[in-house]
């Protein structure tokens, strides 16, 4: 039985019970629980409303319903329920403690990363409850700690609330708590975190040290202290005056004298030149200069934390992050594997996302994609999971999929400027410059929303955006030139196509008039025919649409129809034939045939083979004189395409251009290393053609670039783009297009 | 003086090269080029270069580094530069290869001038104060409107406006081709060379390049009034160089024609000896006297009224006959 059927059955059962006993609160509670488990929160609220109707004096119903209101972001209604809850027991301390716990409980979902796009809030009410607790007992340290906690949570997830004031208020409350209970390590640790947020690293370190002194077995304290060191190592500049942390740190490590000396040197230099150290603070300068000390300290703390609590998954995740900063991917991978193995409610999806990112950085894209998919399955509401996968798609040049993920990421968190950043790069890559500009603007706005400091203009992201806009402007200008060029080429190729026939005809006549062979006329004819072929290809590449291919795939019985096998064999014959042309392809000819005798032998053999369409006859010849050749067209060989709308000739030209390129550039490779692989695959709805050859990277043959324009144009007609891969030795062109034949048969 | 012709795809353009330099190529060179053009197995560029350079009037380069070396080391050797703008090669040229003789060349320059190497050659010539306006032609498949790369770097050396569209020869444009050919055919110094090819060849082959250059100088300046004294001196020097060579090759001449300074005598004793031994006939004997005596007299008492450009001209023609005689002697005693 599926979960869904199970749910419906249970629901029907409860509905029936409620019909029979409409005043039985147990049934409503059970149904509310069932609704809650299945994400039907409005229905939960309805059931609790009914419960309140039945038992208006049951204060717990108000408290429970308030939680769902918060969850549905109906905070005002939640507050009304809190008010009612308080009215029923206003002098009971537990009333206020319960409300605070409830608010924390709801927001836990945010903390765990299930809903990182939504902070449910409620802490403004929680602060008031904490005030009330303090009113009850002004000497209770725990109440001050609670209020401090609520104050700090006020800004969480909501930039409108962000203010150091809340941290300052929290600081004052934690200090009061410590005053009242100076042996509670938790207060020190929490105050340390507050100090850290306020940029007072020295005081934060002192507090963590004290917390550890009081409770040396608490793994979290070590992990949190390590986070400070990690922060320094990462190279974040935390401001000119925040070097107090170092004073503490180095006084412990015995480097105090070094620190003082360095500080003197730093001050002297800064006095002399305010731009010294590129404006970085002393803290930044010092930790960059002596990183080993800091790294070792951080590592020791993470190791200690894990030693104390080897089953806490998030500690491994934290150390993994530390290793990632150090770019020690292998170690990071071990830690995140452990975190995944241990599992952790709510965090497991995040761990997969982290591991996917590590795999991406290590170049293991297959595993990276698997992990990112898993992270999204486990946690489909986390914007970061989509962001991470988008980053992978970007690296894989799968821009459309990256854009899909980014739009989801932005939907869940419109302040995620990283998402706009990649989005603009994706649009740039697929040459949608207007969209790229718009994303850059959105990125700017997102940064603006998250950085209200006076140093906004110096934010390096902004410089990046400005550079990007400049880049687009240049690209757009170039694109306009290319568009204009293409238009001219399209117009001209049409005219030339007509004109060139007026040259070819007289040349053919002259050839006939000269009984004996005349190489000058032969060469002129070859040249004229080459021009005809180029302009014809160019002319066709600007015409038509993908519908023509569908039509010709269906109407494929005409005498001009070609099978894929025909197309490939003709393309090879065309390309190899040119390699015997000493006039126009001399440089390639000489590479293939460095001696006259081999050339003559091959040419003589070619004159016998060139008319055949039988690949079995051609392949040994190619192997003997040109390159090792592998054809993998198997079940696709007999697919035929008609030429009523020019599709056969278009596919032929596309193949010719790609294979001709491969044949030409293979010439520069030593004979024994040359190969040509032609692979045609049927991926269900798509045909994927890959032509791969070995080439010499340093060789840059003088070219008009028209071949590439033709290939790109035909690919565009097929509603795709050629994927060109060039590594050190291999050059590969892949073209994907819809399987016209399959869709026809459907 | 020569023409420097730089093009990377010379194997593809044999007939153009043949037509362009038709006037200066020998019949056999043209025939060989024609055969190469017909050959289905393409020639190496070096083969074509060697054939064209037999003219002694044209130097050909098909690689940028070699062309640059010639341009920066001896630009004065050339009466005309015909340069293809795009000299990019299949297997590339190495930056280090260029830096070996042009230390200021760099990766950055390589990038800037890639596929416009001709522009770099142009810039170097401008820096070396070559009269590019009259001596430099770009061959290009592109429009003359396309700006010259690195123009900003050479603006202090040249007003690029005076380097006009006329200096751009569009490939395949017959009118441009004719214009360039007309220019090539009418380089005075080359025509002098061409017309006096036989004399110059004798001097080059049997004495040295400098003596041949001196003779070209005489031929090109023989009508210049301001150069009368210099030309007479050069005529006499050439005569002396001829006799110095004769002393080496003509049997017994050394024993009979050397003076007290152990130098070949240029006057009567030597001339009489050559007559006695029937090495020279009466006409050549008289020419010897003229070529020896007239420059000597003028040099001892340089009076502009004593010698004219006609004097120089008559001695030049006398010298020509002497050179022909010398050629025969060299063939006889080679």
């Amino acid at each position: 039985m599926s979960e869904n059927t199970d749910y419906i059955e249970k629901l029907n059962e409860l509905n029936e019970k409620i019909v029979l006993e409409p005043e039985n609160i147990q049934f409503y509670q059970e149904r509310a629980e069932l609704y809650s488990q299945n994400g039907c929160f409005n229905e939960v609220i309805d059931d609790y409303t009914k419960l309140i109707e039945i038992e208006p004096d049951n204060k717990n119903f108000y408290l429970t319903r308030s939680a769902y209101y918060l969850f549905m972001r109906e905070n005002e209604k939640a507050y009304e329920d809190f008010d009612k809850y308080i009215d029923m027991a206003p002098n009971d301390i537990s009333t206020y403690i319960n409300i605070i716990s409830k608010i924390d409980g709801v927001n836990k979902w945010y903390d765990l990363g299930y809903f990182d796009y939504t902070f449910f809030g409620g802490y403004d009410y929680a602060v008031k409850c904490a005030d009330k607790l303090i009113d009850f007992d002004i000497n209770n340290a725990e109440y001050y700690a609670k209020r401090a906690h609520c104050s700090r949570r006020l800004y969480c997830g909501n930039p409108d609330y962000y203010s150091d004031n809340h941290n300052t208020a929290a600081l004052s409350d934690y200090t009061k708590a410590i005053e009242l209970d100076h042996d509670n390590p938790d207060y020190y640790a929490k105050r340390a975190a507050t100090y850290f947020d306020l940029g007072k690293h020295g005081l934060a370190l002192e507090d963590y040290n004290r917390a550890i002194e009081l409770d040396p077995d608490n793994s979290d304290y070590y992990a949190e202290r390590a986070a400070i060191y990690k922060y320094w190592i990462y190279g974040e500049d935390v401001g000119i005056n925040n070097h107090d942390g170092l004073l503490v740190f180095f006084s412990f490590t015995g480097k105090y004298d070094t620190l003082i000396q360095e500080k003197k040197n730093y001050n002297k230099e800064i006095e002399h030149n305010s731009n010294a150290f590129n404006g970085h603070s002393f803290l930044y300068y010092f930790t960059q200069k002596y990183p080993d000390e800091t790294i070792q300290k951080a590592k020791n703390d993470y190791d200690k934390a894990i030693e104390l609590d080897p089953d806490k998954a998030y500690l491994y995740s934290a150390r993994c992050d530390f290793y990632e900063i150090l770019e020690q991917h292998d170690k990071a991978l071990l830690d995140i594997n452990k975190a995944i193995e241990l599992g952790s409610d709510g965090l497991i999806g995040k761990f997969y996302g982290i591991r996917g990112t590590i795999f991406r950085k290590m170049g293991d894209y297959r595993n990276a994609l698997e992990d990112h998919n898993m992270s999204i399955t486990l946690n489909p509401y986390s914007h970061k999971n989509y962001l991470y996968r988008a980053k992978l798609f970007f690296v894989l040049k799968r821009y459309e999929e990256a854009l899909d993920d980014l739009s989801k990421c932005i939907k869940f968190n419109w302040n995620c400027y990283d998402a706009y950043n990649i989005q603009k790069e994706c649009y740039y890559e697929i040459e949608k410059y207007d969209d790229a500009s718009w994303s850059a603007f959105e990125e700017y706005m997102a940064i603006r929303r998250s950085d209200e400091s006076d140093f906004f203009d110096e934010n390096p992201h902004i410089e990046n955006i400005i550079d990007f806009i400049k880049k687009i402007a240049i690209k757009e200008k170039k694109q306009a030139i290319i568009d204009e060029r293409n238009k001219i080429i399209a117009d001209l190729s049409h005219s030339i196509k007509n004109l060139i026939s007026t040259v070819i005809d007289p040349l053919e006549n002259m050839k006939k008039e000269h009984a004996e062979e005349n190489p000058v006329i032969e060469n002129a004819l070859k040249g004229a025919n080459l021009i005809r072929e180029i302009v014809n290809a160019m002319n066709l590449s600007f015409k038509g649409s993908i519908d023509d291919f569908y039509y010709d795939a269906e109407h494929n019985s005409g005498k001009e129809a070609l099978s894929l096998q025909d197309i490939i064999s003709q393309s090879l014959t065309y390309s190899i034939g040119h390699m015997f042309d000493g006039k126009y392809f001399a440089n390639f000819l000489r590479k293939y045939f460095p001696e006259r005798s081999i050339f003559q032998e091959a040419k003589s053999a070619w004159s016998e083979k060139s008319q055949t369409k039988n690949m079995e006859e051609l392949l040994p010849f190619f192997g003997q004189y040109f390159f090792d050749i592998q054809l993998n067209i198997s079940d696709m060989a007999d697919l035929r395409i008609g030429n009523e709308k020019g599709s056969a000739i278009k596919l032929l030209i596309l193949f010719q251009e790609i294979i001709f390129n491969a044949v030409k550039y293979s010439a520069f490779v030593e004979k024994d290393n040359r190969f040509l692989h032609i692979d045609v695959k049927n991926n269900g709805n798509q045909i994927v053609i890959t032509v791969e050859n070995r080439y010499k990277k340093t060789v840059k043959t003088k070219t008009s670039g028209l071949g590439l324009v033709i290939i790109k144009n035909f690919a565009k007609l097929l509603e795709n783009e050629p994927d060109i891969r060039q590594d050190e030795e291999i050059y590969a062109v892949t073209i994907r297009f819809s399987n016209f034949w399959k869709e026809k048969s459907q | 003086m020569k023409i420097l012709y730089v093009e990377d795809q010379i194997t593809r353009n044999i007939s153009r090269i043949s037509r362009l330099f038709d006037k200066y190529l020998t019949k056999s060179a043209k025939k060989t080029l024609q055969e190469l053009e017909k050959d289905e197995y393409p020639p190496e560029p070096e083969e074509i270069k060697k054939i064209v350079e037999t003219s002694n009037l044209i130097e050909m380069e098909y690689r940028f580094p070699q062309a640059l070396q010639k341009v920066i080391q001896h630009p004065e050797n050339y009466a005309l530069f015909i340069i293809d703008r795009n000299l990019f090669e299949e297997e590339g040229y190495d930056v280090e290869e260029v830096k070996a003789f042009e230390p200021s060349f760099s990766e950055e320059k390589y990038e800037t001038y890639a596929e416009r190497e001709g522009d770099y050659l142009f810039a170097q010539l401008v820096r070396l104060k070559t009269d590019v306006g009259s001596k430099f032609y770009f061959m290009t498949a592109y429009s003359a409107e396309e700006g010259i790369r690195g123009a900003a770097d050479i603006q202090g050396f040249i007003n690029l406006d005076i380097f006009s569209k006329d200096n751009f020869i569009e490939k395949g444009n017959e009118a441009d081709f004719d214009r360039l050919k007309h220019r090539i055919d009418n380089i005075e110094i080359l025509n002098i060379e061409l017309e006096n090819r036989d004399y110059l060849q004798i001097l080059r082959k049997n004495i040295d390049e400098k003596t041949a250059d001196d003779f070209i100088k005489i031929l090109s300046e023989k009508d210049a009034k301001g150069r009368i004294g210099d030309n007479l001196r050069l005529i006499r020097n050439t005569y002396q160089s001829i006799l110095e060579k004769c002393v080496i090759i003509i049997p017994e001449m050394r024993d009979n024609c050397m003076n007290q300074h152990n130098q070949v005598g240029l006057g009567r004793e030597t001339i009489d000896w050559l007559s006695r031994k029937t090495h020279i006939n009466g006409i050549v004997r008289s020419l010897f006297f003229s070529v020896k005596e007239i420059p000597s007299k003028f040099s001892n008492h340089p009076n502009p009224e004593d010698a004219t450009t006609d004097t120089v001209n008559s001695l030049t023609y006398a010298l020509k006959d002497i050179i022909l005689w010398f050629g025969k002697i060299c063939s006889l005693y080679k």
Side-chain angles (χ1 to χ4, degrees):
Chain A
M1 188 182 288
S2 72
E3 280 182 24
N4 194 36
T5 332
D6 192 27
Y7 163 69
I8 290 167
E9 271 189 18
K10 280 184 184 169
L11 187 61
N12 288 338
E13 203 179 305
L14 284 167
N15 287 343
E16 282 171 22
K17 285 181 181 174
I18 287 171
V19 171
L20 293 171
E21 294 180 55
E23 299 299 311
N24 188 330
I25 62 166
Q26 191 195 330
F27 297 151
Y28 288 102
Q29 278 177 306
E30 281 179 22
R31 190 169 67 176
E33 180 62 25
L34 187 66
Y35 279 138
S36 179
Q37 282 167 4
N38 286 278
C40 307
F41 302 120
N42 281 321
E43 285 76 3
V44 177
I45 290 171
D46 289 346
D47 273 353
Y48 272 95
T49 305
K50 186 69 186 169
L51 285 166
I52 289 168
E53 262 176 49
I54 298 167
E55 282 188 14
D57 296 332
N58 188 333
K59 62 178 184 173
N60 287 330
F61 292 160
Y62 291 100
L63 187 62
T64 307
R65 189 174 66 175
S66 71
Y68 287 99
Y69 276 132
L70 273 183
F71 206 79
M72 300 304 288
R73 302 183 60 79
E74 295 191 60
N75 291 22
E76 288 310 315
K77 286 186 179 172
Y79 297 168
E80 281 176 25
D81 277 354
F82 287 145
D83 289 343
K84 295 248 173 63
Y85 182 71
I86 291 171
D87 286 346
M88 291 184 188
N91 297 318
D92 188 346
I93 287 171
S94 67
T95 298
Y96 304 96
I97 292 175
N98 289 344
I99 291 175
I100 294 170
S101 297
K102 187 58 78 181
I103 291 168
D104 267 343
V106 172
N107 283 294
K108 189 183 169 204
W109 291 88
Y110 169 85
D111 293 343
L112 287 175
Y114 279 119
F115 294 95
D116 55 1
Y117 60 96
T118 304
F119 177 69
F120 303 100
Y123 283 99
D124 41 354
Y125 201 96
V127 168
K128 287 179 192 161
C129 290
D131 287 343
K132 194 73 185 167
L133 289 172
I134 292 166
D135 286 346
F136 282 124
D137 181 359
I138 58 167
N139 291 317
N140 189 320
E142 189 56 32
Y143 297 162
Y144 288 100
K146 272 198 191 303
R147 188 167 68 181
H149 163 76
C150 295
S151 298
R152 271 172 60 69
R153 299 287 291 174
L154 258 178
Y155 72 86
C156 185
N158 188 343
D160 294 341
Y161 274 105
Y162 185 81
S163 159
D164 274 354
N165 291 340
H166 300 300
N167 270 324
T168 311
L171 197 62
S172 158
D173 276 346
Y174 281 131
T175 302
K176 184 72 182 171
I178 288 167
E179 224 175 272
L180 294 167
D181 179 4
H182 49 79
D183 287 335
N184 187 326
D186 212 33
Y187 300 157
Y188 287 101
K190 283 179 174 152
R191 189 172 69 174
T194 314
Y195 274 135
F196 183 74
D197 281 351
L198 287 166
K200 300 186 179 212
H201 292 195
L203 293 168
L205 264 183
E206 268 183 6
D207 270 359
Y208 278 128
N209 292 341
R210 180 71 182 140
I212 288 168
E213 209 177 291
L214 291 166
D215 183 3
D217 295 333
N218 189 317
S219 58
D220 288 343
Y221 301 158
Y222 291 98
E224 285 169 29
R225 186 171 67 179
I228 297 186
Y229 304 137
K230 189 170 73 179
Y231 190 79
W232 295 347
I233 297 157
Y234 192 53
E236 293 282 347
D237 198 344
V238 292
I240 295 293
N241 298 315
N242 289 315
H243 61 271
D244 50 353
L246 280 174
L247 289 168
V248 181
F249 176 50
F250 283 96
S251 61
F252 280 113
T253 57
K255 290 269 182 188
Y256 190 74
D257 291 344
T258 313
L259 174 78
I260 297 301
Q261 192 53 49
E262 287 286 0
K263 178 70 178 146
K264 279 181 185 166
N265 294 342
Y266 176 88
N267 288 347
K268 198 173 160 188
E269 196 67 32
I270 285 283
E271 199 179 331
H272 194 65
N273 171 14
S274 59
N275 290 322
F277 309 105
N278 294 323
H280 287 305
S281 71
F282 175 65
L283 174 68
Y284 178 89
Y285 156 73
F286 195 86
T287 46
Q288 293 294 310
K289 191 167 177 184
Y290 299 94
D292 289 347
E293 303 272 358
T294 327
I295 289 168
Q296 197 51 49
K297 269 276 169 192
K299 188 178 174 315
N300 289 348
D301 271 357
Y302 281 123
D303 291 349
K304 181 72 182 172
I306 287 171
E307 184 193 317
L308 289 168
D309 275 317
D311 295 332
K312 277 188 181 169
Y314 66 86
L315 292 177
Y316 291 95
S317 165
R319 191 170 64 180
C320 158
D321 188 32
F322 164 70
Y323 283 134
E324 270 299 280
I325 286 169
L326 300 178
E327 295 182 16
Q328 296 178 6
H329 302 307
D330 291 341
K331 288 182 179 173
L333 193 59
L334 287 177
D335 272 349
I336 201 70
N337 281 342
K338 186 72 181 169
I340 289 171
E341 182 193 317
L342 290 168
S344 178
D345 188 25
L347 290 173
I348 192 84
K350 183 179 167 186
F351 295 160
Y352 275 107
I354 291 170
R355 192 170 69 177
T357 302
I358 295 171
F359 278 135
R360 169 171 59 82
K361 288 180 184 170
M362 293 171 86
D364 183 351
Y365 301 131
R366 193 176 58 81
N367 276 321
L369 186 56
E370 271 182 27
D371 275 356
H372 286 313
N373 290 341
M374 179 61 98
S375 74
I376 287 170
T377 306
L378 291 168
N379 196 349
Y381 305 109
S382 164
H383 76 276
K384 280 186 183 162
N385 288 342
Y386 292 102
L387 177 70
Y388 294 152
R389 192 169 67 179
K391 283 184 180 180
L392 174 66
F393 282 139
F394 182 77
V395 172
L396 294 172
K397 298 185 177 176
R398 290 161 65 173
Y399 302 116
E400 295 294 345
E401 288 158 282
L403 285 167
D404 274 353
D405 274 354
L406 292 167
S407 72
K408 283 178 191 141
C409 171
I410 290 163
K411 187 178 133 197
F412 291 141
N413 182 359
W414 74 303
N415 286 322
C416 181
Y417 52 79
D418 254 3
Y420 297 113
N421 178 23
I422 303 164
Q423 192 183 49
K424 75 177 194 284
E425 297 293 348
C426 286
Y427 281 130
Y428 181 83
E429 291 298 333
I430 58 173
E431 298 179 354
K432 291 188 174 175
Y433 301 119
D434 284 350
D435 291 329
S437 303
W438 187 249
S439 295
F441 171 72
E442 292 283 11
E443 184 187 3
Y444 173 87
M445 292 307 290
I447 295 169
R448 176 87 261 188
R449 287 193 293 273
S450 65
D451 181 359
E452 294 184 342
S453 71
D454 294 339
F455 303 107
F456 175 72
D457 291 341
E458 293 163 27
N459 189 317
H461 292 289
I462 301 300
E463 281 175 33
N464 171 288
I465 293 170
I466 292 167
D467 288 346
F468 183 81
I469 297 288
K470 285 180 190 163
K471 194 167 86 170
I472 286 189
I474 293 167
K475 197 80 185 178
E476 279 182 330
K477 195 174 166 188
K478 280 187 182 165
Q479 189 59 46
I481 292 168
I482 290 169
D483 291 345
E484 183 62 20
R485 182 201 65 178
N486 286 349
K487 189 181 175 304
I488 292 167
I489 291 173
D491 294 348
L492 268 182
S493 58
H494 181 75
S495 311
I496 295 170
K497 194 180 148 189
N498 292 330
L499 281 173
I500 200 72
S501 62
T502 64
V503 177
I504 291 174
D505 292 343
L507 279 172
E508 289 287 0
N509 290 337
M510 280 170 75
K511 190 181 159 187
K512 279 176 197 157
E513 282 163 18
H514 287 75
E516 77 281 13
E517 200 174 300
N518 187 329
V520 176
I521 297 175
E522 286 288 341
N523 283 336
L525 257 171
K526 271 190 219 167
N529 276 313
L530 266 180
I531 296 169
R532 185 183 53 76
E533 282 163 13
I534 293 169
V535 291
N536 194 33
M538 187 55 76
N539 186 237
L540 283 171
S541 76
F542 283 100
K543 279 184 178 170
S545 75
I546 196 154
D547 296 336
D548 300 340
F549 291 95
Y550 280 102
Y551 179 88
D552 283 333
E554 197 176 345
H555 304 88
N556 60 3
S557 54
K559 65 176 183 181
E560 286 184 343
L562 292 170
S563 68
L564 271 184
Q565 161 99 15
D566 294 337
I567 287 174
I568 289 175
S569 93
Q570 285 187 28
S571 300
L572 279 165
T573 311
Y574 166 89
S575 308
I576 293 294
H578 281 318
M579 293 302 101
F580 290 101
D581 180 347
K583 171 80 175 174
Y584 296 102
F585 300 99
N587 45 350
F588 307 107
L589 185 156
R590 275 217 169 253
K591 293 286 172 189
Y592 277 124
F593 310 111
E595 286 168 30
R596 183 186 287 271
S597 58
I598 307 171
F599 168 74
Q600 284 169 337
E601 179 189 301
K603 193 170 183 203
S604 158
W606 179 241
S607 63
E608 288 170 22
K609 307 270 181 197
S610 58
Q611 298 308 315
T612 184
K613 286 181 181 175
N614 183 354
M615 293 302 283
E616 298 306 316
E617 275 185 55
L618 288 171
L619 295 184
F621 173 80
F622 296 152
Q624 187 180 350
Y625 294 106
F626 290 89
F627 31 63
D628 175 51
I629 180 164
Q630 280 183 25
L631 291 182
N632 180 19
I633 48 174
S634 55
D635 55 326
M636 311 292 295
D638 295 330
L639 286 178
R640 293 180 71 78
I641 189 146
N643 199 38
E644 250 184 86
K645 292 191 181 274
S647 305
I649 191 74
K650 281 175 184 169
L651 274 189
L652 177 65
I653 292 168
L654 174 64
F655 269 81
Q656 271 178 2
E657 287 298 334
I658 296 173
I659 292 174
F660 189 31
N661 251 347
V663 170
K664 281 195 293 185
Y665 287 94
S666 295
F668 296 95
V669 178
E670 288 72 33
K671 185 171 187 302
D672 291 345
N673 290 329
R674 289 180 202 141
F675 73 76
L676 176 65
H677 294 171
I678 300 171
D679 186 68
V680 184
K681 271 201 196 102
N682 180 354
N683 280 358
N685 293 327
Q686 265 198 333
I687 305 288
V688 183
I689 299 161
T690 302
V691 176
E692 197 174 65
N693 62 289
R694 185 164 273 128
Y695 80 127
K696 217 169 175 180
K697 204 175 181 181
T698 49
V699 171
K700 292 173 184 165
T701 302
K702 188 182 268 193
T703 170
S704 61
L706 284 181
L708 187 61
V709 174
I710 291 169
I711 292 171
K712 281 189 170 179
N713 281 357
F714 279 122
K716 204 185 265 182
L717 288 183
L718 293 165
E719 298 192 341
N720 213 292
E721 274 186 42
D723 179 10
I724 297 169
R725 181 169 57 84
Q726 290 168 268
D727 62 23
E728 281 305 309
E729 290 189 341
I730 310 292
Y731 191 96
V733 180
T734 300
I735 302 267
R736 295 178 177 81
F737 56 86
S738 301
N739 186 344
F740 321 120
W741 296 277
K742 186 182 174 195
E743 295 194 18
K744 180 199 87 176
S745 65
Q746 279 171 353
Chain B
M1 292 289 249
K2 293 180 181 179
I3 294 171
L4 179 62
Y5 181 84
V6 183
E7 179 174 10
D8 59 339
Q9 295 181 321
I10 52 177
T11 58
R12 198 185 276 189
N13 294 299
I14 297 173
S15 62
R16 182 168 72 205
I17 291 165
S18 203
R19 279 173 67 207
L20 206 52
F21 300 119
D22 177 64
K23 183 171 176 179
Y24 300 119
L25 292 173
T26 61
K27 272 186 185 166
S28 78
K30 282 188 265 191
K31 191 166 174 255
T32 317
L33 286 176
Q34 212 170 12
E35 281 162 7
L36 287 178
E37 170 87 344
K38 287 178 184 175
D39 193 345
E40 60 180 5
Y41 189 68
E44 289 282 12
E46 195 60 29
E47 289 177 62
I48 297 166
K49 173 178 153 74
K50 273 185 187 160
I51 295 164
V52 172
E53 289 187 347
T54 55
S55 68
N56 242 314
L57 298 173
I58 304 150
E59 280 185 18
M60 181 172 268
E61 291 301 340
Y62 51 88
R63 294 193 70 231
F64 170 64
Q66 277 75 13
L68 179 62
Q69 202 164 1
K70 285 195 167 165
V71 157
I72 59 179
Q73 287 176 355
H74 293 292
E76 71 284 358
N77 284 355
Y78 304 102
L80 195 66
F81 299 89
I82 303 167
I83 310 279
D84 190 359
R85 287 187 82 182
N86 185 347
L87 297 170
F88 204 75
E89 300 169 49
E90 280 82 19
E91 292 179 80
Y93 49 85
D94 189 6
V95 173
E96 292 306 316
E97 185 187 358
V98 180
K99 278 177 92 167
F101 56 87
E102 164 70 329
S104 70
F105 199 74
S106 59
E107 287 286 349
E108 193 188 341
K109 286 185 178 167
Y110 175 87
E111 290 299 330
T112 306
Y113 290 96
E115 297 191 25
R116 291 293 179 280
E117 290 76 8
D119 291 7
Y120 191 78
L121 299 177
F122 173 77
Q124 298 315 303
L125 286 170
V126 169
R127 282 206 182 84
L128 294 166
K129 302 197 165 39
T130 307
D131 177 12
V132 286
S134 68
K135 291 171 85 172
F136 191 98
Y137 285 87
F138 267 133
M139 273 194 311
T140 179
Y142 302 93
S143 154
E145 304 297 329
E146 189 191 350
I148 295 171
R149 289 192 195 170
D153 296 340
I154 52 172
Q155 262 170 359
F157 298 87
I158 185 177
N159 177 4
L160 283 172
D161 295 340
I162 62 160
F163 188 74
S164 70
K165 282 182 188 171
D166 291 345
N167 297 75
F168 286 85
I169 303 298
E170 189 188 340
K171 289 178 185 174
N173 180 326
E174 271 304 301
D176 278 7
F177 179 89
D178 290 345
R179 188 156 48 82
L180 179 63
K181 182 156 170 50
H182 183 262
R183 176 76 179 89
I184 290 169
D185 288 351
N186 291 287
I187 300 170
E188 194 189 344
I189 193 82
L190 292 195
N191 281 326
I192 290 170
E193 284 224 25
L194 187 66
E195 285 159 15
N196 296 280
R197 181 182 266 164
D198 294 343
Y199 306 104
L200 290 165
Q201 205 168 347
I202 291 168
L203 294 176
R204 279 193 187 103
K205 189 176 165 192
N206 300 301
I207 305 179
D208 57 20
E209 191 68 35
K210 186 186 172 300
T211 309
D213 287 348
D214 284 348
F215 185 57
I216 294 169
K217 211 169 175 55
I218 296 164
L219 291 166
S220 58
E221 294 174 349
K222 61 185 165 54
D223 293 315
K225 284 184 181 171
R227 299 281 302 166
I228 292 170
D230 292 325
N231 284 331
L232 290 175
R233 185 173 47 76
L234 281 176
I235 289 168
R236 186 190 165 283
N237 288 351
T238 308
Y239 166 69
Q240 184 177 346
S241 298
I242 288 169
L243 286 184
E244 281 169 351
K245 180 71 182 183
C246 288
V247 162
I248 298 166
I249 60 170
I250 298 175
E252 298 173 20
M253 188 172 169
R254 177 174 291 280
D255 298 334
N256 294 285
C257 302
M258 303 302 276
N259 61 22
Q260 66 270 32
H261 304 296
N262 202 28
Q263 289 172 333
V264 65
L266 303 180
R268 179 170 291 277
E269 279 187 25
T270 298
I271 298 168
D272 284 348
W273 187 87
L274 287 168
S275 292
R276 277 200 305 276
K277 293 288 178 184
T278 66
H279 290 305
I280 51 174
N281 60 25
I283 296 169
V284 175
R285 177 189 162 85
S286 302
L287 296 176
F288 269 40
F289 276 116
S290 302
V291 167
K292 153 71 174 69
E293 293 299 327
I294 296 170
S296 297
K297 280 179 182 160
F298 186 80
S299 131
N300 291 338
H301 306 286
N303 181 355
E305 288 172 12
D306 290 346
T308 65
T309 53
D310 289 340
T311 318
V312 175
N313 268 289
S314 65
L315 287 187
T316 303
Y317 289 108
L319 187 58
K320 279 185 171 184
D321 274 354
I322 292 172
I323 293 169
L324 286 180
W325 164 82
F326 174 62
K328 282 176 196 161
I329 286 290
C330 288
S331 301
L332 191 64
Y333 294 110
K334 66 181 173 186

